[in-house]
Amino acid sequence: MPEVQRIDVRGPRFAASITAVLLLVATFLSLIGVATGDLAAAPLSARILDPGFLLLLVIALLFVWGVASPRTAPWGVLYRRVVQPRLAAPTEFEDPRPPRFAQGVGLFVTAVGLLLHLAGVPWALPIAAAMAFVAAFLNAVFGLCLGCQLYLVLQRAGLVGRRRPSAA
């Protein structure tokens, strides 16, 4: 079987740090939006133009980018070109599949919040942003990637990460 490419463990933590800050701001903005009025009665255009919604939408698009093309995602490129050259050589590496899966989990959580917000569910946006923030914060500060842990559980159950048998 071919060797799985390994990545520097500091890269995903760096990306999680930036994502956590953005999600904290999105949570704050979405809480302000909830506090200022009746979301269910607001027209769809007002829900779309809500600053918390717009920022969480941008974050969700960054998650899409991280899933579709992790090598070109902005935080990874910033890490590899600006931060990593200034650090000592990496001593720890990891399989890139769990962090990529974690990006998909972040996308799922934020997408659910965005869709429920558009449907007029008042607390969906701040709750989704806060949940994603907690996950990004745990990864950034403690190196605990909840999406990666979920990947490993699903891998042990045989639901993800299976390799196809090579052709004979």
Side-chain angles (χ1 to χ4, degrees):
M1 276 187 207
E3 177 88 16
V4 173
Q5 179 187 1
R6 312 298 273 174
I7 59 172
D8 181 350
V9 297
R10 300 171 297 184
R13 287 185 74 178
F14 174 79
S17 300
I18 296 172
T19 303
V21 171
L22 292 174
L23 285 164
L24 184 62
V25 173
T27 301
F28 175 73
L29 291 174
S30 62
L31 285 170
I32 291 173
V34 168
T36 58
D38 183 16
L39 183 67
L44 181 61
S45 61
R47 286 182 245 153
I48 291 172
L49 294 176
D50 178 270
F53 174 83
L54 293 174
L55 181 54
L56 198 60
L57 178 62
V58 168
I59 295 166
L61 293 172
L62 288 167
F63 281 137
V64 169
W65 196 344
V67 170
S69 181
R71 296 280 311 158
T72 65
W75 310 143
V77 171
L78 180 64
Y79 175 77
R80 286 189 310 279
R81 290 194 181 158
V82 177
V83 177
Q84 191 176 33
R86 290 167 172 72
L87 301 174
T91 58
E92 293 182 62
F93 297 92
E94 68 179 331
D95 182 343
R97 294 175 296 177
R100 188 175 190 175
F101 181 83
Q103 292 285 303
V105 173
L107 172 60
F108 177 77
V109 169
T110 56
V112 167
L114 291 167
L115 292 173
L116 290 175
H117 174 78
L118 290 177
V121 178
W123 290 93
L125 198 63
I127 289 172
M131 288 172 57
F133 165 74
V134 167
F137 178 82
L138 289 172
N139 190 1
V141 175
F142 300 108
L144 175 62
C145 176
L146 297 178
C148 300
Q149 296 301 314
L150 178 59
Y151 178 89
L152 295 174
V153 167
L154 294 174
Q155 186 180 43
R156 285 185 195 111
L159 300 173
V160 296
R162 288 187 254 168
R163 303 203 183 222
R164 295 182 185 162
S166 59

